[in-house]
Amino acid sequence: MSDRTTSWRERLAHVPRRTRRVGAAGAALIIIGAGVTWALSGRHAVQGAPGGTTRPAAVETTAGRDMGGMNMGGMATSTGGAVHLTANQIRQFGITFGTAEMRRLEARVRTVGTVAVDESRIAQVAPRFGGFVERLHVDATGQPVRRGQPLMDVYSPELLAAEQELLVARNLERSIGESTVPGVPAGAPDLVAAAKRRLQLWDISEAQIEAILRTGEPRRTLTLYAPASGIVLEKNVVQGQAIQSGQMLYTIASLDDVWVEAALREQDAGAVRIGSAASVALAAFPGRSVRGRVTYVYPTLDSIARTIRARIEVPNPDGRLKPGMYATVELTTPTRTALTVPASSVVNTGERAVVFVELGDGALVPREVVVGRVAGDYAEVLSGLEPGQRVVTSAQFLLDSESNLAEVMKSMIGQMSMSDMNSTGRMPDMSGMNVPGGDRAGVNAKGAPMTNMPGMPMPADTSRR
């Protein structure tokens, strides 16, 4: 075994095991880098080689030379992880740019919702007297009705007695007014007005009361009318049924305006407020979204689904929005003006956020930034950039891997003594360094001897000597 190899092993014996592992990792990265360079830079024929064979161009790693001009896969890298590209490379890799600018952020939340009836447009029919249903004019759920349309005819003994009292009061008032008996005042208490008031409190219309007074005969049945226009959502009465005071017979709702109850995730609750614009799309009408506004955000959280409901009021003049339909909702809320970059320009590594800034002449350098709220297509930048700087918006992961590989290789090689390199600029003999997966130097995980990489001879297998 050569003295050079012995010298290397003696030095390695005094190096801590952790440093040895770092050195091994560095050597592995250098081998990978050499392979990438060989694959991308092409193969060069060596004149005079037996059989006209070709071999990869050697990677030059001269001791003491600054590696700021390292060429990785056709990209030139320099100190600080900057990547230098030509105009042709920028087009080839599909690199695009955006600008860091002051913009007004718009928080956008995409969620789902359900169409519901506007509760402020619901009316119920519940008579204030008991009786029997003689006839139904509206006898089906879902039937549209107009305000003032007849719903049913009701026979009520109480109502019939009140009608007779009205007629008696009218006749008594006439008799008292025509009396000539001394001591009887010409003006008697207004008994008719009191009887009228009683019928009005039972929701008997003024026209029905005047009809009773005009004919002078009580009506056996009286008609109940629709208090509002809309659709009959519920019908709880049939013809001939006995009804009681306060019993709910019909539920009528107007669908000219509807609500969309949107479910907001807990983390999106702060991005939506009253007045936020909403775009509602339904599967039944693709490509025909409707606009609305958030009118209320519920103050309670669903502890099971972990969602908060937001109420969106949507006009529905043509009635195509049906209660119960599912909808896709996109909410937009203007927030504040801040320094922003396109959201696609930010590379999140889990521990930090990085953007690549163009410095001119094809130089792209990574910058660590602090990112705030991401609103739509833009991300807020709290620190790390200045307005007007151009940033890369595509192919960032290619640039990031190129920059990181160059930085790791330079830091690893910097830990090795340049005196350990031979005069030809080749890497030192690595005898005694354990290869991951192998049990001795120069042997891979499968037990086969490792061949020399271009410019990096592997240690000879001394077990065969």
Side-chain angles (χ1 to χ4, degrees), residues 61-309:
T61 7
T62 305
R65 177 176 297 180
D66 182 10
M67 301 188 67
M70 183 182 296
N71 189 316
M72 302 294 294
M75 301 182 188
T77 58
S78 60
T79 305
V83 179
H84 295 268
L85 301 177
T86 64
N88 186 38
Q89 288 173 327
I90 292 177
R91 290 192 299 270
Q92 180 181 0
F93 298 143
I95 297 177
T96 57
F97 297 92
T99 307
E101 296 179 353
M102 300 297 294
R103 297 181 179 91
R104 185 170 181 81
L105 291 176
E106 287 188 348
R108 294 182 182 178
V109 176
R110 189 177 179 86
T111 183
V112 295
T114 305
V115 179
V117 177
D118 186 344
E119 294 178 3
S120 63
R121 294 176 175 266
I122 296 178
Q124 288 188 337
V125 177
R128 301 181 181 181
F129 52 85
F132 301 88
V133 178
E134 292 282 326
R135 180 185 177 188
L136 284 179
H137 297 283
V138 176
D139 57 359
T141 302
Q143 184 174 339
V145 296
R146 302 181 310 276
R147 180 182 177 89
Q149 178 178 336
L151 296 178
M152 68 177 73
D153 294 336
V154 178
Y155 163 70
S156 172
E158 298 178 63
L159 196 57
L160 184 59
E163 293 177 29
Q164 292 175 340
E165 290 179 3
L166 173 64
L167 294 176
V168 170
R170 199 268 307 270
N171 294 333
L172 181 59
E173 185 178 38
R174 286 179 179 177
S175 300
I176 294 177
E178 296 174 357
S179 175
T180 58
V181 178
V184 176
D190 194 349
L191 301 178
V192 175
K196 277 186 175 183
R197 182 62 177 166
R198 184 179 181 184
L199 292 174
Q200 290 171 351
L201 293 176
W202 282 349
D203 285 339
I204 306 302
S205 67
E206 189 68 27
Q208 290 175 307
I209 296 175
E210 293 298 330
I212 295 172
L213 293 175
R214 184 174 61 254
T215 60
E217 294 182 1
R219 300 182 58 181
R220 182 176 181 276
T221 62
L222 285 179
T223 304
L224 298 183
Y225 297 92
S229 300
I231 305 296
V232 177
L233 298 183
E234 296 182 39
K235 184 185 77 72
N236 300 319
V237 61
V238 295
Q239 188 164 322
Q241 176 180 334
I243 59 175
Q244 298 178 353
S245 174
Q247 181 179 350
M248 195 274 292
L249 305 179
Y250 291 95
T251 299
I252 302 172
S254 173
L255 301 181
D256 292 339
D257 294 294
V258 295
W259 289 351
V260 176
E261 300 281 355
L264 303 176
R265 296 178 301 172
E266 190 173 354
Q267 55 267 36
D268 294 332
V272 178
R273 62 173 181 262
I274 296 177
S276 296
S279 175
V280 180
L282 297 98
F285 307 99
R288 299 174 60 189
S289 60
V290 293
R291 301 287 179 178
R293 291 279 176 183
V294 176
T295 58
Y296 188 69
V297 178
Y298 288 80
T300 57
L301 175 75
D302 187 337
S303 59
I304 298 177
R306 307 304 301 174
T307 57
I308 296 175
R309 289 190 300 158

